[in-house]
Amino acid sequence: KTEQETLGLRFGKEILKPRVCENQCAFCMAAQLPHDANKELFPRYDDWRRSFLYGEWATFSNLTRRDLERIAALQAGPLYVAVHATDPEVRASMLGNEDAGEIMPLLEMLAQRNVDFYASVTICPDINDGFILRKTFEDMLVLFPHCKGLCISPVRLTYHRRGLTRLKRVEQQTAAYILDELARWQEKCFEMKGVHFIYATDEFYSVAGKEIPKKEVYDDYPLYEQGVGRLSKMNFEIEQCMEELPPWILDREVSLICGVQLVPYLNKSIGILQERYANLTVHVYGIRNFFFGESV
């Protein structure tokens, strides 16, 4: 069957009862919602099974010995682990859970049992950036190839944070500095391991006001579904389309709607098409996010 076709099986009810998150992360999106938001947005899941089945990030702070044995027996990978920091004190503080600090022994056990996983870091300025981020990167690289990659993204802060820990946004200068460091680490990783290993979400480049890297940097887009490399892949697909399409096109007017952060990237990509096809008119409309806040 093709990727878009269903398997033909339907279940009368959900076969897994997801485990509820036991952490109290200051940057949790569910805690940053208005009280009248859709009820479907409020459940907080932290379940290794959903991580395996759906590619959801999970902290693995509620993993039991029995879970670990089952993961190893099934070779249930790749998993998607929300690490945030490998420093125990920093991680416990970020997750609001004193028992969640020690993540490295767990990841080392997964690697020893040949279970593959991806790791992620949500950057909270002055908390897990700088030296802490470098330590996290180096700790994950030691676990390569079972740690298949590290994803970093900026913290998302909504307008609805009453009563929560004060956090800083990732400003442009901070984002640009982190991406410059990341580019140097990627070069070293590619020299040593043959992959770039550490990747930033597209949102990170948007905050920094930087160009999106070429497709080669993303190593076949292993974290595409997590928002890593989507713009890069779109640009590559546009280039492919231009090679396959005829040198003319019928009169056509198209409107595209997106978030404000995407506007400059779409304008640049679409501009390449419009230069070639004079009869093509594309309008890009950036919609400001007043519900969550313009940084989301």
Side-chain angles (χ1 to χ4, degrees):
K1 291 182 180 291
T2 66
E3 188 175 344
Q4 289 75 27
E5 287 184 276
T6 65
L7 293 177
L9 299 174
R10 295 190 178 205
F11 297 94
K13 58 182 179 180
E14 189 164 7
I15 57 176
L16 292 178
K17 184 177 180 181
R19 296 178 185 176
V20 178
C21 183
E22 299 173 352
N23 305 311
Q24 298 295 326
C25 303
F27 50 88
C28 175
M29 284 297 293
Q32 300 183 71
L33 295 173
H35 69 278
D36 57 348
N38 190 313
K39 65 179 182 179
E40 298 293 334
L41 297 174
F42 284 97
R44 299 186 304 160
Y45 300 137
D46 192 14
D47 196 322
W48 73 264
R49 299 167 300 176
R50 292 179 67 91
S51 175
F52 171 59
L53 291 172
Y54 309 129
E56 293 182 1
W57 295 111
T59 68
F60 285 50
S61 59
N62 56 5
L63 207 65
T64 65
R65 173 68 64 175
R66 183 178 179 183
D67 291 330
L68 186 61
E69 295 297 334
R70 188 176 178 203
I71 290 170
L74 294 174
Q75 288 292 285
L79 300 170
Y80 296 82
V81 187
V83 173
H84 301 310
T86 53
D87 181 282
E89 289 187 16
V90 174
R91 187 172 199 263
S93 175
M94 291 185 70
L95 269 57
N97 183 350
E98 294 181 357
D99 299 326
E102 293 288 350
I103 188 65
M104 281 304 293
L106 171 61
L107 298 182
E108 288 167 355
M109 280 192 283
L110 290 177
Q112 289 169 3
R113 300 179 186 212
N114 297 316
V115 176
D116 294 337
F117 61 91
Y118 290 95
S120 72
V121 171
T122 297
I123 298 294
C124 296
D126 300 336
I127 296 177
N128 66 335
D129 54 354
F131 170 77
I132 298 298
L133 176 59
R134 184 179 185 90
K135 180 180 185 303
T136 302
F137 160 67
E138 291 174 347
D139 287 341
M140 294 299 98
L141 188 59
V142 168
L143 299 179
F144 180 86
H146 295 296
C147 180
K148 299 174 71 65
L150 176 62
C151 167
I152 67 168
S153 62
V155 64
R156 299 173 179 92
L157 305 178
T158 78
Y159 286 160
H160 313 281
R161 289 188 52 79
R162 288 184 295 274
L164 297 179
T165 304
R166 292 179 65 87
L167 294 175
K168 292 182 180 179
R169 299 187 189 281
V170 178
E171 302 292 350
Q172 182 175 3
Q173 186 175 1
T174 302
Y177 175 79
I178 290 175
L179 289 177
D180 288 342
E181 285 284 287
L182 181 143
R184 286 191 285 271
W185 297 346
Q186 286 178 324
E187 288 181 12
K188 293 180 180 178
C189 288
F190 191 75
E191 291 174 4
M192 294 188 299
K193 310 293 185 181
V195 295
H196 293 86
F197 185 75
I198 182 169
Y199 314 94
T201 59
D202 292 359
E203 188 179 1
F204 227 118
Y205 291 94
S206 174
V207 172
K210 282 182 169 287
E211 291 287 325
I212 297 294
K214 296 291 186 182
K215 66 182 290 290
E216 291 76 18
V217 174
Y218 292 100
D219 302 317
D220 295 328
Y221 304 103
L223 293 169
Y224 179 84
E225 294 296 332
Q226 284 71 27
V228 177
R230 292 192 174 200
L231 288 172
S232 171
K233 190 172 183 181
M234 181 189 72
N235 291 336
F236 174 68
E237 289 174 346
I238 287 176
E239 292 174 5
Q240 282 188 314
C241 285
M242 289 179 63
E243 294 176 1
E244 298 169 3
L245 289 173
W248 55 271
I249 192 169
L250 296 176
D251 289 349
R252 183 163 297 180
E253 188 171 3
V254 180
S255 293
L256 300 179
I257 299 174
C258 63
V260 173
Q261 291 181 336
L262 277 180
V263 171
Y265 297 102
L266 280 182
N267 278 334
K268 183 175 180 180
S269 300
I270 298 303
I272 298 172
L273 277 174
Q274 289 183 299
E275 286 179 9
R276 177 170 178 178
Y277 301 107
N279 294 345
L280 173 65
T281 302
V282 181
H283 307 283
V284 178
Y285 297 100
I287 307 301
R288 297 171 70 184
N289 189 344
F290 291 110
F291 184 75
F292 287 122
E294 293 183 60
S295 70
V296 180

